[in-house]
Amino acid sequence: MAAIDDLKALLSQDVSQLDTLADILGREKTCLATSDLQALNELTREKNDLLGAIRERAKQKIRTLVQMGYRPESGEPSRFIRSAGLSELYQLWQEADQKLRACQTLNQNNGRVITHLQKRLTRLADIFRGANSQQKLYGARGEHTTVSSRTVLASA
């Protein structure tokens, strides 16, 4: 069946590009640690290009599955593939899914590093503005909040 071959080809491309994405995310982490902004910008472009290709293939995979009889409202595509007895295709789908989840974890870790760097930059900016002497408290969502003389804590 041509649709099965098409789906295998799409999944194989996913597996390959997800390996590349994992490598890029690893290099991104290194760039964040060394503050290499030029390399970070290049990696961001590469990452965005890869993500665009992966998203486009996701649409193609769904269209191909629909041609095979899959109905999106019926649940996970992996269940459809497994129930159709397509074990080789199912294994490839699972491999791509595991690699995608690993990339999501790497990306979340890099996001936490970026958030930490942004907070540190904000603290430095506060110091440069002379706002560092203001007291810091935790806000309702657990973030640091600056308390100034203009902050009203209670009124009479």
Side-chain angles (χ1 to χ4, degrees):
M1 183 183 263
I4 293 173
D5 292 337
D6 290 347
L7 198 51
K8 282 181 186 176
L10 293 169
L11 287 167
S12 293
Q13 286 177 314
D14 277 352
V15 168
S16 174
Q17 286 195 330
L18 287 166
D19 283 337
T20 302
L21 182 60
D23 178 62
I24 288 172
L25 290 167
R27 289 186 286 152
E28 181 181 65
K29 181 179 180 182
T30 301
C31 288
L32 289 168
T34 60
S35 299
D36 187 347
L37 297 180
Q38 186 175 357
L40 192 59
N41 282 333
E42 180 59 34
L43 289 173
T44 300
R45 273 193 297 280
E46 286 181 49
K47 183 170 73 169
N48 288 337
D49 290 345
L50 269 177
L51 289 173
I54 291 168
R55 281 186 200 103
E56 189 55 40
R57 258 195 320 283
K59 294 174 190 172
Q60 292 174 331
K61 287 185 297 194
I62 294 299
R63 286 192 295 265
T64 303
L65 283 166
V66 167
Q67 289 173 357
M68 295 169 60
Y70 170 69
R71 290 188 337 269
E73 65 275 4
S74 67
E76 291 290 318
S78 59
R79 263 193 275 157
F80 170 79
I81 293 168
R82 189 175 52 202
S83 68
L86 304 169
S87 61
E88 183 183 345
L89 193 59
Y90 179 73
Q91 289 172 352
L92 199 52
W93 187 280
Q94 291 299 105
E95 181 181 0
D97 185 58
Q98 288 171 354
K99 289 182 183 293
L100 178 64
R101 290 178 195 278
C103 286
Q104 288 172 331
T105 299
L106 290 170
N107 196 51
Q108 287 170 346
N109 290 340
N110 288 353
R112 281 192 282 277
V113 170
I114 289 169
T115 299
H116 175 73
L117 291 171
Q118 287 172 331
K119 286 179 180 178
R120 192 164 71 183
L121 183 61
T122 299
R123 283 195 307 267
L124 288 171
D126 285 349
I127 290 169
F128 288 133
R129 287 192 316 245
N132 195 40
S133 62
Q134 294 176 341
Q135 199 172 12
K136 298 267 187 183
L137 298 175
Y138 284 102
R141 291 185 285 173
E143 76 282 0
H144 280 285
T145 304
T146 302
V147 178
S148 68
S149 59
R150 286 174 264 175
T151 304
V152 177
L153 296 176
S155 60

